[in-house]
């Protein structure tokens, strides 16, 4: 469980650690790195930099652990380049939405706290990665919790919203988690490119927006989601580079389900390979330790 982390994830974890140390030892860097809505113009680069450091130790631990564990399942399926692209896009779009929301809340309430509150942290991307886990291994049960992976993003949001009623600084993390979850789903649903199939996104019913909600709410959510889908996209769910995968605005029969099945198979295969590797490592380490003990005797 605590081995076989990818080099890319280790490198990104190092970036988070270094970023946290920088803002702890040089606090004057926070206004230049964190997203402070009143200063985002002209410091527009903090829409990017704000996601790659943590202001608190517990935030650093949570983000680093979630990156390492989720990354070792997602990166082998997506590839290193796509994994890094996902992190960059979701981080930027998440903090862009946080910026717009903070400005809107200021004009509605006239409270300057929304303008000068520093927003930072990798937890928005972590929420997006959790959506990736939901996509590739939806029916896999999480160890100890005995909960299927497809419910993890929903449970995380429910717990975060519930805890916000009992914490004073919920505005600093709750919008980031909500927008990170939605932007992760939006990217995977409509924009992630699949070179092996030339299909963009995941149009399967198992990954629809309504799957984040309990089944009894889906008849209500689906019509609303379809309206926003037509407003924002105005196109078929399945597209290719030359738009040969759709006919009269409807996806070709079986294309989305087949792609979703292949994606789940790749996720399950990656999980099985990780588990098999860990099973081989444990006996080997045990044998080595026994051999060392005999030698010492």
């Amino acid at each position: 469980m605590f081995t076989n982390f990818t080099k890319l994830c280790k490198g990104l974890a190092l970036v988070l650690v270094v970023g946290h140390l920088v803002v702890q030892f040089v606090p004057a860097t926070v206004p230049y790195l964190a997203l402070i809505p009143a200063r985002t113009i002209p410091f527009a680069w903090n829409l990017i930099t704000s996601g790659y450091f943590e202001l608190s130790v517990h935030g650093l631990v949570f983000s680093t652990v979630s990156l390492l564990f989720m990354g070792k399942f997602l990166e082998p399926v997506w590839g290193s380049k796509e994994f890094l692209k996902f992190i960059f896009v979701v981080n930027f779009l998440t903090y862009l939405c946080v910026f717009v929301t903070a400005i809107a809340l200021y004009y509605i309430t006239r409270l300057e706290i929304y303008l000068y509150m520093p927003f930072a942290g990798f937890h928005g991307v972590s929420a997006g990665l959790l959506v990736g886990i939901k996509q590739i291994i939806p029916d896999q049960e999480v160890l100890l919790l005995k909960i299927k992976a497809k419910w993890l993003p929903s449970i995380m949001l429910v717990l975060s919203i519930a805890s916000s009623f009992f914490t004073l600084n919920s505005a600093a993390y709750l919008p980031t988690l909500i927008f990170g979850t939605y932007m992760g789903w939006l990217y995977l649903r409509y924009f992630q490119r699949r070179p092996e199939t030339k299909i963009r996104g995941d149009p399967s019913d198992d990954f629809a927006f309504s799957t984040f909600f309990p089944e009894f709410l889906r008849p209500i959510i689906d019509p609303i989601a379809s309206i926003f889908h037509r407003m924002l996209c105005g196109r078929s769910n399945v597209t290719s580079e030359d738009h040969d995968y759709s006919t009269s605005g409807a996806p070709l029969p079986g294309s989305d389900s087949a792609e979703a099945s292949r994606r789940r198979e790749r996720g399950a295969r990656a999980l099985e390979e990780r588990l098999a590797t860990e099973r081989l490592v444990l006996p080997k380490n045990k044998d080595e330790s026994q051999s060392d003990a005999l030698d010492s005797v």
Side-chain angles (χ1 to χ4, degrees):
M1 182 180 296
F2 299 98
T3 58
N4 299 323
F5 299 123
T6 66
K7 292 181 180 180
L8 177 58
C9 289
K10 292 178 181 177
L12 291 171
L14 180 62
V15 170
L16 295 178
V17 173
V18 171
H20 175 72
L21 294 176
V22 168
V23 298
Q24 292 299 314
F25 289 102
V26 191
T29 59
V30 172
Y32 298 96
L33 297 178
L35 173 64
I36 301 178
R39 299 179 179 179
T40 299
I41 300 175
F43 300 159
W45 61 79
N46 55 36
L47 290 171
I48 299 174
T49 59
S50 53
Y52 299 107
F53 72 95
E54 294 285 348
L55 296 173
S56 63
V57 176
H58 63 272
L60 175 65
V61 173
F62 171 80
S63 296
T64 303
V65 171
S66 62
L67 169 64
L68 291 174
F69 278 91
M70 289 190 285
K72 79 174 186 175
F73 294 116
L74 292 173
E75 187 182 344
V77 178
W78 292 349
S80 299
K81 183 178 179 180
E82 179 59 36
F83 182 75
L84 191 61
K85 180 182 176 182
F86 175 87
I87 290 176
F88 179 83
V89 172
V90 171
N91 176 71
F92 174 75
L93 292 179
T94 296
Y95 280 100
L96 179 63
C97 291
V98 169
F99 169 72
V100 173
T101 302
I103 296 298
L105 288 174
Y106 166 72
Y107 280 108
I108 293 173
T109 63
R110 293 297 175 177
L111 296 177
E112 292 188 354
I113 186 175
Y114 295 113
L115 291 180
Y116 295 99
M117 178 183 296
F119 296 92
F122 195 75
H123 42 278
V125 176
S126 298
L129 292 175
L130 205 57
V131 178
I133 296 294
K134 167 187 170 70
Q135 181 195 41
I136 65 169
I137 46 175
D139 297 321
Q140 179 70 37
E141 287 189 351
V142 180
L143 296 177
L144 301 179
L145 298 178
K146 299 299 181 182
I147 299 173
K148 289 187 177 181
K150 63 182 179 181
W151 293 114
L152 292 180
S154 304
I155 293 173
M156 180 271 298
L157 286 178
V158 169
L159 293 178
S160 300
I161 294 172
S163 65
S164 67
F165 293 101
F166 307 99
T167 55
L168 297 176
N169 62 340
S170 59
Y173 67 86
L174 188 58
T176 311
L177 290 174
I178 294 174
F179 287 124
T181 301
Y182 182 70
M183 291 303 159
W185 173 81
L186 193 70
Y187 178 80
L188 295 174
R189 178 70 169 175
Y190 296 109
F191 301 107
Q192 187 180 52
R193 188 179 294 275
R194 296 287 173 180
E196 67 275 11
T197 59
K198 296 184 180 180
I199 294 177
R200 187 190 293 271
D202 181 357
S204 64
D205 293 337
D206 294 333
F207 198 58
F209 183 72
S210 60
T211 59
F212 287 88
F213 298 86
E215 291 187 5
F216 69 90
L217 291 177
R218 292 178 188 178
I220 302 174
I221 301 297
D222 277 329
I224 300 174
S226 64
I227 293 174
F228 281 97
H229 168 74
R230 289 193 295 267
M231 289 174 56
L232 296 175
C233 298
R235 59 177 177 81
S236 168
N237 282 342
V238 184
T239 59
S240 66
E241 293 181 354
D242 51 5
H243 305 282
D244 287 332
Y245 281 82
S246 61
T247 306
S248 302
L252 293 175
S255 58
D256 51 345
S257 59
E259 170 62 16
S261 298
R262 284 193 293 268
R263 186 178 294 111
R264 286 192 292 269
E265 288 174 1
R266 287 195 300 270
R269 194 181 307 117
L271 178 60
E272 290 174 359
E273 290 173 356
R274 290 288 182 187
L275 294 176
T277 302
E278 290 163 6
R279 292 192 191 100
L280 291 174
V281 170
L282 283 175
K284 182 179 179 181
N285 292 340
K286 185 177 180 181
D287 293 340
E288 290 177 353
S289 62
Q290 291 176 348
S291 176
D292 293 338
L294 291 175
D295 292 341
S296 63
V297 171

